[in-house]
Amino acid sequence: AQSVTQPDIHITVSEGASLELRCNYSYGATPYLFWYVQSPGQGLQLLLKYFSGDTLVQGIKGFEAEFKRSQSSFNLRKPSVHWSDAAEYFCAVGANTGNQFYFGTGTSLTVIP
Amino acid sequence: DADVTQTPRNRITKTGKRIMLECSQTKGHDRMYWYRQDPGLGLRLIYYSFDVKDINKGEISDGYSVSRQAQAKFSLSLESAIPNQTALYFCATSPGGYVYGYTFGSGTRLTVV
């Protein structure tokens, strides 16, 4: 069965510092992987996705993620965090059943000025 | 106007009452989804619909029903609300499955007292 684990419930970083949010997945085949961001009071917005090819994918808002099959990971990174990046971040894996997502439990990011 | 509109934004209701959450979209997407978000649990799929005549249960459909009135409208009903249905509910649309990404509404915060 497909599953997604986000080990960090909450992360606090200083503005300008680098960021890495962890995501591990369990999937029997080549996974389709996604990162979504949820700003306060808003719905989820797609940051980036990985289907195949280059294992380092670029997304919106300066985010990137790297697929590592050997580690079953798809970690999200940003070199320099801005205060506006404070939000909740969800990793998701695409499943064949019902053509739907399985979401992780989310990581809440706080940015300190 | 938003691409995916959910009404109401907030609702407080009493145990045992029937309540309907509505979702409408202007994206022209065939696929629509209802998710529930609980702290620490991420998003879980309640129901999904691939077209007006195709409605499917998700992983947590008990206690919920849906109606796809038109391509653009997908309503979620709680026939007899209970306190553990207190959550944030999201509607999402997609043109053809997760590979295209989902467009989410801003959510309905439901409190059952």
Side-chain angles (χ1 to χ4, degrees):
Chain A
Q2 300 89 353
S3 67
V4 178
T5 302
Q6 294 180 248
D8 304 306
I9 296 173
H10 185 250
I11 286 181
T12 299
V13 299
S14 298
E15 191 168 17
S18 64
L19 172 69
E20 182 169 24
L21 302 182
R22 296 184 290 165
C23 173
N24 294 98
Y25 67 88
S26 172
Y27 191 65
T30 300
Y32 292 170
L33 295 160
F34 305 79
W35 274 100
Y36 279 80
V37 60
Q38 182 183 22
S39 298
Q42 302 297 315
L44 280 72
Q45 180 184 20
L46 180 65
L47 280 176
L48 48 79
K49 57 188 177 183
Y50 170 78
F51 293 162
S52 65
D54 192 347
T55 56
L56 184 64
V57 294
Q58 302 297 320
I60 62 172
K61 305 185 179 187
F63 284 93
E64 66 179 26
E66 186 171 12
F67 170 61
K68 294 185 177 181
R69 183 186 298 275
S70 61
Q71 299 177 19
S72 297
S73 69
F74 188 57
N75 294 349
L76 182 71
R77 301 194 295 247
K78 187 169 185 178
S80 178
V81 171
H82 188 263
W83 64 267
S84 61
D85 293 323
E88 186 137 17
Y89 292 81
F90 292 93
C91 183
V93 61
N96 290 328
T97 304
N99 213 333
Q100 61 185 263
F101 288 120
Y102 286 97
F103 285 90
T105 53
T107 297
S108 177
L109 174 65
T110 297
V111 180
I112 297 174
Chain B
D1 289 343
D3 293 328
V4 181
T5 302
Q6 292 184 235
T7 56
R9 289 297 305 271
N10 293 282
R11 179 72 180 268
I12 300 174
T13 191
K14 293 184 178 181
T15 297
K17 293 291 188 181
R18 183 180 188 275
I19 183 169
M20 179 182 288
L21 309 182
E22 298 186 341
C23 175
S24 63
Q25 53 121 342
T26 58
K27 301 287 288 185
H29 292 168
D30 286 328
R31 302 186 180 202
M32 298 187 74
Y33 306 80
W34 275 105
Y35 281 90
R36 167 178 172 161
Q37 183 182 19
D38 297 277
L41 296 178
L43 279 77
R44 293 179 291 167
L45 183 64
I46 307 172
Y47 270 96
Y48 59 101
S49 171
F50 286 174
D51 64 40
V52 175
K53 296 181 180 180
D54 182 14
I55 293 178
N56 304 277
K57 293 182 178 180
E59 61 180 301
I60 56 163
S61 59
D62 288 347
Y64 302 94
S65 62
V66 291
S67 173
R68 184 84 183 264
Q69 299 95 325
Q71 186 206 36
K73 295 184 181 294
F74 192 36
S75 300
L76 176 72
S77 293
L78 287 67
E79 296 300 327
S80 180
I82 56 177
N84 76 0
Q85 291 177 312
T86 293
L88 186 56
Y89 291 84
F90 285 104
C91 175
T93 73
S94 174
Y98 59 74
V99 295
Y100 298 95
Y102 287 359
T103 301
F104 282 84
S106 297
T108 293
R109 184 167 296 281
L110 176 66
T111 303
V112 183
V113 298

